[in-house]
Amino acid sequence: MEAKDQTAAGLHFVGKKEELIRAKRSFRTLEDRDILIIYHEGVFHAVDSYCYHAGGMLQNGDIEEINGKMCIICPKHKYKITLAEGECLYKGKDPREKHPVTRWYSKGVKQRIHVVTESDGNVFVKLSVSPAWIESDYYQGEKGKEERAKA
Ligand code: FES
């Protein structure tokens, strides 16, 4: 694809594949949005860089598989966010069950996830255009940025 076609398609060049694999985590600002590109176990992911909960830096979070889903663990309060969907997972019991058992539940999509594509050794990110508010949007706006700067 020609460079002008990539721009028209909303694709942002974020780096050479080899360079991003070596870095494992790369921070980029695209259209005023701070995002984190992660390479983990052969897969690229792109997520909003600041945790939806209180703006924690996901760049420093560990990655673990939880309930069959790859998650980044926010270093600030240990919330678990799936890399593929941006769902927050938590462990709990359903008190309505006769014999409640601890299991994983989802709080729903909280972190905005972006699309990563590769072409000829180049990696591109297309920002999510989902119009619905996703909680991590807060830390990409002015108020959220001020709040993070004070923390
Ligand atoms: Fe991420 Fe609280 S800021 S868990």
Side-chain angles (χ1 to χ4, degrees):
M1 197 187 290
E2 296 288 319
K4 66 177 182 356
D5 298 331
Q6 287 158 350
T7 308
L11 298 177
H12 298 273
F13 171 72
V14 291
K16 289 282 184 194
K17 184 178 175 182
E18 289 312 313
E19 157 203 328
L20 295 171
I21 288 174
R22 257 195 316 275
K24 293 192 174 82
R25 297 174 191 204
S26 309
F27 179 90
R28 297 284 186 274
T29 301
L30 308 175
E31 297 178 30
D32 286 334
R33 194 162 196 106
D34 294 336
I35 67 154
L36 177 62
I37 298 145
I38 297 169
Y39 181 80
H40 185 78
E41 294 186 354
V43 183
F44 281 109
H45 303 273
V47 301
D48 274 359
S49 191
Y50 312 115
C51 175
Y52 81 92
H53 174 231
M57 295 283 285
L58 293 181
Q59 185 148 7
N60 304 323
D62 291 334
I63 294 175
E64 273 175 37
E65 190 179 320
I66 295 173
N67 209 24
K69 295 180 173 188
M70 214 44 93
C71 295
I72 189 152
I73 319 293
C74 177
K76 210 164 180 182
H77 309 105
K78 308 293 178 205
Y79 279 25
K80 292 141 185 67
I81 298 168
T82 66
L83 288 172
E85 304 88 3
E87 277 179 284
C88 181
L89 303 183
Y90 69 100
K91 233 176 188 178
K93 287 182 182 179
D94 184 345
R96 294 168 300 186
E97 289 175 357
K98 199 168 177 191
H99 303 289
V101 199
T102 304
R103 61 168 68 92
W104 288 100
Y105 290 93
S106 169
K107 291 183 184 178
V109 173
K110 302 289 186 178
Q111 196 76 20
R112 196 175 281 274
I113 302 295
H114 309 283
V115 178
V116 186
T117 51
E118 298 171 41
S119 168
D120 295 332
N122 297 316
V123 179
F124 300 87
V125 169
K126 185 178 168 94
L127 293 176
S128 152
V129 290
S130 165
W133 171 261
I134 295 178
E135 288 183 41
S136 66
D137 292 344
Y138 177 76
Y139 288 100
Q140 299 288 339
E142 278 313 308
K143 273 190 176 171
K145 282 186 179 169
E146 281 170 25
E147 207 176 291
R148 272 193 304 101
K150 282 188 228 148

